[in-house]
Amino acid sequence: MKQRAQFTTKIGILAATVGSAVGLGNIWRFPYEAGSNGGAAFIFIYIISVCVIGIPVICCEFIMGRGTHKNVHGAFNALHASSLWKYASYLNILASLMILSFYSVVAGWTLNYLSEAVTGKMTMTGEHDFSAEFGNFVASPWQPTVFTIIFLMFNHVIVARGIKKGIERISNTVMPILGVILIVLMANSLLLPKATEGLRFLFYPDFTKITPSVVLSALGQAFFSLSLGLSCLLTYSSYFNDRTPLVKNATMIATLDTIVAIISGIIIFCALFSFDGEPAAGPKLVFEILPGIFNSMPGGYFWAVLFFLLLVFASITSSISMTEISVAYFSEEYNISRKTSTRISTAIGMIFGALCSLSFGILNDFTIFGMSLFSLFDYISSNILLPLGGLIFTIFVGWIINKRFVQEQLTNNGQIARKSSKIIIFLIKYIAPIAIVVVCLSVLRVI
Ligand code: PFF
């Protein structure tokens, strides 16, 4: 039998998993969610969600992936054969393909904005109406769709090359550059005239702003940002070796991902307050408001190029991880080559990505439950499938599978102290599932 691929170094494991977590979710989604949901109060709830739900769910995925060295379907089967549980894997694969579709659309926009920044179009002097420009761009029939497809082609080339030569190599190259760009951009934002107002918005909570829907948004954001609940980290961890410390890695991913989200908040809000932008602008924040700021900022050309380069890099290390879920599934469960299964995932991504992209223009009138295809995919996956997936993982690992297996995975067969594993098991069994259910029910106004 062909030997299964593995990540080759500790750094490679960290770069790939953090690369999956750090993406548009941190730089595009987190600031607008924080901006529309009360700033610091949202961030406070977000951090609690990451600690009590995020880290335990990462550990569940790691236990299943590293413990079985299989794709999500194989892992459910191996741990509980002939049961209904394996159907959960279909939900995961569906969610991964839905997210890949709409994520590639936004990643395509970032490619377009990067090209506009590099060619100097964005920072050209003269009158600009960036809202109208963004509106015209996304509604145009071919341009955003072409960028979506170009992005998926880059994504395809990396994933098709495999774990070591594709995913690990690109993550090792891109992640350090991404770290440097983030720090440079943060330093620039902190030196802007009204930076302290931005910091106040981010760090000075007004607890009266907390409502059930703010809590659900924070939970949904935590799942999306940590790539949780759709077996992305399960799939990546199936390529870990048996010495990888699971709890330590889970904590590092959660910490680094949260730091990047907060740095992105600093970059964006310090600039926004200094140039009188609107923090609650929603998803268009990065594409309509920021270009205007770069346009009036000293050295704007340089900062615009750097910022959109950051977005492109961050999105590619995330999109490859969500593609890997279905690629591993197709190739291992149907015994087809990696190249063919990558082609299948890319084709699905391209078809639905194009439809999502067109839902801003010619398919604008086609709505389901009152939502465009893009919003529907985002809503169903982030607010329903990911929390549901997280709930299934915690119940499966906490209550269904063999306790000794869970303990052995968390302690690497007794080589790592048991204390942290006990806390994690408690969170997996009780706190995380109850918290997910309570948040979802309170939003549905059942409680
Ligand atoms: N965590 C990624 C981000 O913050 O952009 C998004 C993501 C990646 C979601 C991988 C799901 C996934 F499987």
Side-chain angles (χ1 to χ4, degrees), residues 311-338:
L311 275 178
V312 170
F313 277 170
S315 22
I316 197 83
T317 50
S318 296
S319 63
I320 53 178
S321 70
M322 58 188 90
T323 315
E324 183 58 29
I325 300 169
S326 51
V327 169
Y329 166 72
F330 292 136
S331 63
E332 291 171 5
E333 297 300 319
Y334 299 95
N335 228 336
I336 46 182
S337 74
R338 184 175 182 86

Side-chain angles (χ1 to χ4, degrees), residues 67-85:
T68 59
H69 294 293
K70 288 185 191 302
N71 69 82
V72 58
H73 189 75
F76 271 109
N77 259 344
L79 293 170
H80 206 271
S82 70
S83 73
L84 287 177
W85 288 101

Side-chain angles (χ1 to χ4, degrees), residues 24 40 147 150 153 205 234 259 348 362 428:
L24 293 171
F147 276 108
I150 296 177
M153 278 163 29
L234 183 159
I259 291 175
I348 297 175
I362 51 176
I428 292 176

Side-chain angles (χ1 to χ4, degrees), residues 150-311:
I150 296 177
F151 179 80
L152 279 165
M153 278 163 29
F154 282 130
N155 184 67
H156 179 90
V157 171
I158 300 167
V159 178
R161 298 193 60 149
I163 298 304
K164 194 169 128 197
K165 293 201 185 127
I167 293 178
E168 185 169 353
R169 192 179 283 171
I170 192 88
S171 306
N172 279 341
T173 317
V174 164
M175 291 314 284
I177 306 177
L178 200 132
V180 174
I181 300 182
L182 272 170
I183 291 171
V184 173
L185 283 168
M186 178 171 74
N188 175 52
S189 276
L190 285 172
L191 292 173
L192 290 170
K194 291 197 209 152
T196 42
E197 281 185 36
L199 294 179
R200 204 182 152 75
F201 180 75
L202 277 174
F203 298 116
Y204 197 78
D206 170 1
F207 291 111
T208 58
K209 297 228 162 96
I210 298 175
T211 60
S213 96
V214 168
V215 179
L216 181 73
S217 300
L219 182 69
Q221 174 60 23
F223 270 91
F224 188 84
S225 189
L226 293 171
S227 313
L228 281 187
L230 76 168
S231 80
C232 175
L233 294 176
L234 183 159
T235 309
Y236 264 14
S237 65
S238 71
Y239 308 119
F240 289 1
N241 61 48
D242 292 334
R243 294 177 310 282
T244 309
L246 301 188
V247 180
K248 189 171 151 200
N249 270 35
T251 314
M252 269 163 93
I253 296 167
T255 310
L256 288 171
D257 186 68
T258 306
I259 291 175
V260 174
I262 290 176
I263 293 181
S264 308
I266 295 177
I267 294 172
I268 289 171
F269 287 112
C270 292
L272 214 61
F273 280 90
S274 299
F275 290 86
D276 301 321
E278 166 57 45
K284 58 190 185 188
L285 182 66
V286 160
F287 297 101
E288 288 185 12
I289 316 282
L290 277 191
I293 292 177
F294 292 131
N295 201 18
S296 36
M297 191 186 258
Y301 174 87
F302 175 73
W303 300 115
V305 171
L306 220 51
F307 181 78
F308 286 103
L309 191 65
L310 172 76
L311 275 178

Side-chain angles (χ1 to χ4, degrees), residues 87-139:
Y87 291 102
S89 62
Y90 298 131
L91 281 185
N92 281 229
I93 292 157
L94 177 72
S96 75
L97 291 167
M98 276 182 145
I99 295 189
L100 179 67
S101 308
F102 79 81
Y103 199 86
S104 310
V105 174
V106 185
W109 297 347
T110 69
L111 268 185
N112 172 69
Y113 273 68
L114 176 63
S115 76
E116 298 216 337
V118 171
T119 52
K121 244 168 110 184
M122 188 180 291
T123 42
M124 227 154 31
T125 47
E127 273 299 298
H128 274 279
D129 180 349
F130 286 103
S131 297
E133 282 178 25
F134 178 68
N136 291 339
F137 164 66
V138 294

Side-chain angles (χ1 to χ4, degrees), residues 35 64 144 174 293 304 348 353 377 396 403 415 433:
M64 291 178 64
V174 164
I293 292 177
I348 297 175
F377 276 24
F396 189 69
K403 289 185 182 49
Q415 285 169 20

